[in-house]
Amino acid sequence: MDGFCAAVTALRVDQSSGQPARHQPITLLWAIGRAAEQQPRMVHWTNAQAELQQLLKEHGRRGSGPSPEYPFVALSRSDLWELDGYDGEVPPARGSGVRRWLNEHDPLGGLERSFYELMARDPAARKRVVDALVSRFLDVESSTALLADIRLAALGFDGFGAVPGVEVGQVFASREAAHNARVHRPLQAGICGTKKLGAESIVLSDGYEDDRDEGDVIVYTGQGGRDEKTGRQVKDQALTRGNAALVTSQATGTPVRVVRKVGNDPKAVYRYDGLFRVEESWHETGRSGFRIWRYRLVELTAPNAVTQQPTVQEPTSPAGQDAPTRLEITFQRIIRSTKVANRVKQAHDFTCQVCKVRLATPAGAYAEAAHIRGLGKPHNGPDRETNVLCLCPNHHTMFDFGTLTIADDLTVTDHSTGTVLGRLREVKGHQIDPAHLRYHREHHSESWKHQQSDAAEHEEEGGDDNDVED
């Protein structure tokens, strides 16, 4: 088994674009999928061509041609693949005549016999090889879709949550070692993730002057705008790429791995310190006078934290899984229930102060208490009635994200549409402190505008928010 993993590690692929090509890895994964389904080991070129071409078209690197003839031949130079059923010499994989040769001879290609037999009978070995191919050649988003297409989805670690086999507190000698273990894949960037899927992991390395690390609570500064030599901010940060990924994690409740740099270079090591949730995000002016994005992350502890992946079971049907093999847990925004919060909800008869809707359930009316200025560090808001709103779940979420803001005269604005929704509902005996409303607006009122302008600038620059921060 170790020899096959070594052969995957030693696999030579084209890197002229600056990134490893995916033709050979995708072809190997396709063949491993065939082995898992007990399909014949060897397949004629004419029968494999169309299927491989479609896989390469959909999952190959952007800008690369879907040319299955190259990997079908090139893999025969490794210890993982065989060609049979032809006469004469095999032409160079990149030669101009390789397609003509394949069409003329129609050879058989497939996994080396002992490799095929191992992939067909041993799910654990199959997972090790798939993990080795994915971690070296593919990113999370592309590997998830590819493995689903070739019916190996149950074997893929999607990059989020706890990494199988890695314990909290485990130390890695370098960023490269953390990358190889899939704990934090970028070799330089502090955030790994995409706007579409969310953040997989972050690194705390004292690189940003505004970071605050208090162990189980982290106030993390987004990426960008920093002078690498001095560590000082020299320009505004944009809400794109990794910064946008952390906001997505806040919205979806996806847990984020935290890795801390311990010690000073050149003897620094990197320690995996478990899963955190992104509880808040906002922007503010940092110490150097530039706009920075901030995130409050709180450590997840049992029973909420996911520390192990379940044992992988084989998919019972190529159409999907009746019993998913990966434990999926969503961490929602915390709903605090204090005596103060309950008094505010009762004062409003559980009626939302924004939309005036009272939600009835079999257990009684339902509403949520929203603290205007967040409790705990770094906001240090008080748990007093003057700092609490009674909201429905929708408007609570919108308020927490800064999509809704409230002026001193209690006018409510929806920044997603630019619409004034009217005046906040009031009742006798519940007064709101305008200072808390101003604090909320200072953190959030410009967020929507900055998000839209940052995204527009990023599109003009040709950026892709679906790129992993490598």
Side-chain angles (χ1 to χ4, degrees):
M1 178 61 211
D2 290 340
F4 293 129
C5 286
V8 168
T9 303
L11 198 63
R12 298 179 60 185
V13 301
D14 179 63
Q15 301 200 43
S16 57
S17 66
Q19 294 180 305
R22 294 175 176 169
H23 291 69
Q24 293 185 66
I26 287 175
T27 302
L28 281 174
L29 288 167
W30 167 78
I32 291 170
R34 287 176 55 85
E37 294 188 326
Q38 307 296 314
Q39 294 188 42
R41 180 175 71 92
M42 303 293 279
V43 57
H44 281 285
W45 159 250
T46 52
N47 294 331
Q49 179 183 2
E51 190 172 351
L52 285 174
Q53 186 162 3
Q54 185 63 28
L55 287 173
L56 292 169
K57 181 179 179 180
E58 293 183 5
H59 305 292
R61 291 207 180 277
R62 191 175 304 170
S64 64
S67 306
E69 63 270 20
Y70 297 149
F72 200 86
V73 171
L75 281 169
S76 65
R77 271 67 173 179
S78 74
D79 294 330
L80 304 171
W81 188 264
E82 288 183 5
L83 284 178
D84 200 1
Y86 61 89
D87 296 322
E89 296 292 325
V90 178
R94 286 285 180 179
S96 58
V98 63
R99 180 180 285 272
R100 185 172 61 252
W101 181 85
L102 285 169
N103 291 337
E104 178 182 345
H105 291 270
D106 193 20
L108 291 158
L111 300 180
E112 184 271 336
R113 182 176 296 278
S114 59
F115 184 39
Y116 170 87
E117 291 173 352
L118 182 65
M119 295 297 95
R121 73 171 186 269
D122 191 335
R126 187 158 63 243
K127 177 169 170 48
R128 282 186 62 188
V129 172
V130 169
D131 283 349
L133 285 165
V134 167
S135 63
R136 181 179 174 195
F137 297 107
L138 301 167
D139 57 54
V140 169
E141 189 172 6
S142 61
S143 66
T144 300
L146 171 62
L147 294 178
D149 280 355
I150 59 177
R151 300 172 294 280
L152 286 174
L155 299 184
F157 168 57
D158 67 3
F160 292 91
V163 180
V166 176
E167 300 293 331
V168 175
Q170 189 166 333
V171 173
F172 300 91
S174 64
R175 286 285 292 263
E176 184 176 5
H179 161 85
N180 292 338
R182 299 173 297 170
V183 171
H184 186 75
R185 295 188 297 117
L187 294 175
Q188 292 184 325
I191 305 171
C192 177
T194 69
K195 178 180 179 180
K196 180 177 180 180
L197 298 177
E200 298 177 27
S201 58
I202 64 170
V203 168
L204 283 169
S205 59
D206 297 325
Y208 285 88
E209 60 192 11
D210 295 286
D211 281 352
R212 289 172 55 184
D213 184 359
E214 299 180 4
D216 59 349
V217 177
I218 299 166
V219 180
Y220 186 74
T221 305
Q223 62 191 177
R226 182 172 67 100
D227 185 290
E228 296 296 332
K229 292 183 179 180
T230 65
R232 294 176 62 84
Q233 286 293 129
V234 294
K235 63 179 181 179
D236 291 342
Q237 291 182 347
L239 191 60
T240 55
R241 296 185 179 272
N243 293 343
L246 284 169
V247 175
T248 299
S249 292
Q250 179 191 356
T252 61
T254 305
V256 177
R257 291 187 299 277
V258 167
V259 178
R260 287 181 170 95
K261 180 181 178 181
V262 181
N264 299 316
D265 293 329
K267 295 183 178 180
V269 296
Y270 295 85
R271 186 182 66 222
Y272 168 55
D273 281 344
L275 299 177
F276 284 63
R277 71 169 177 271
V278 184
E279 192 170 272
E280 296 180 76
S281 62
W282 69 94
H283 74 86
E284 63 185 43
T285 300
R287 296 182 188 179
S288 298
F290 295 95
R291 187 184 80 215
I292 57 175
W293 288 94
R294 310 297 302 282
Y295 307 89
R296 184 174 187 266
L297 292 94
V298 179
E299 185 177 13
L300 294 172
T301 55
N304 291 329
V306 180
T307 57
Q308 292 183 346
Q309 297 291 339
T311 302
V312 172
Q313 303 293 330
E314 285 303 293
T316 58
S317 168
Q321 298 178 67
D322 293 327
T325 55
R326 183 177 183 272
L327 182 62
E328 295 183 4
I329 295 180
T330 300
F331 299 92
Q332 302 292 346
R333 166 179 41 78
I334 290 178
I335 308 299
R336 294 182 175 87
S337 181
T338 67
K339 291 182 179 180
V340 169
N342 289 333
R343 280 201 301 270
V344 170
K345 291 188 287 185
Q346 291 166 3
H348 287 273
D349 192 26
F350 298 87
T351 300
C352 177
Q353 289 184 257
V354 172
C355 64
K356 286 76 173 177
V357 170
R358 185 178 187 269
L359 297 176
T361 77
Y366 179 81
E368 296 179 359
H371 285 83
I372 302 168
R373 181 171 183 155
L375 302 182
K377 298 178 181 180
H379 308 299
N380 299 315
D383 189 23
R384 298 185 179 275
E385 293 181 20
T386 56
N387 188 39
V388 177
L389 298 172
C390 178
L391 300 177
C392 67
N394 284 353
H395 286 122
H396 188 178
T397 301
M398 293 175 71
F399 186 77
D400 280 355
F401 277 89
T403 307
L404 290 184
T405 59
I406 304 171
D408 286 354
D409 65 359
L410 303 186
T411 298
V412 182
T413 300
D414 180 348
H415 292 275
S416 66
T417 61
T419 304
V420 175
L421 301 182
R423 197 169 186 276
L424 191 75
R425 180 181 185 271
E426 292 183 280
V427 295
K428 186 177 180 179
H430 177 220
Q431 299 295 319
I432 302 297
D433 188 341
H436 299 321
L437 295 175
R438 286 194 292 272
Y439 183 90
H440 179 268
R441 292 197 305 273
E442 288 171 2
H443 279 79
H444 294 295
S445 63
E446 297 296 308
S447 296
W448 192 271
K449 181 171 68 178
H450 285 311
Q451 182 175 6
Q452 291 177 320
S453 62
D454 289 343
E457 291 173 8
H458 196 56
E459 287 294 326
E460 291 175 2
E461 294 169 0
D464 184 352
D465 282 338
N466 290 327
D467 288 340
V468 174
E469 291 294 319
D470 279 331

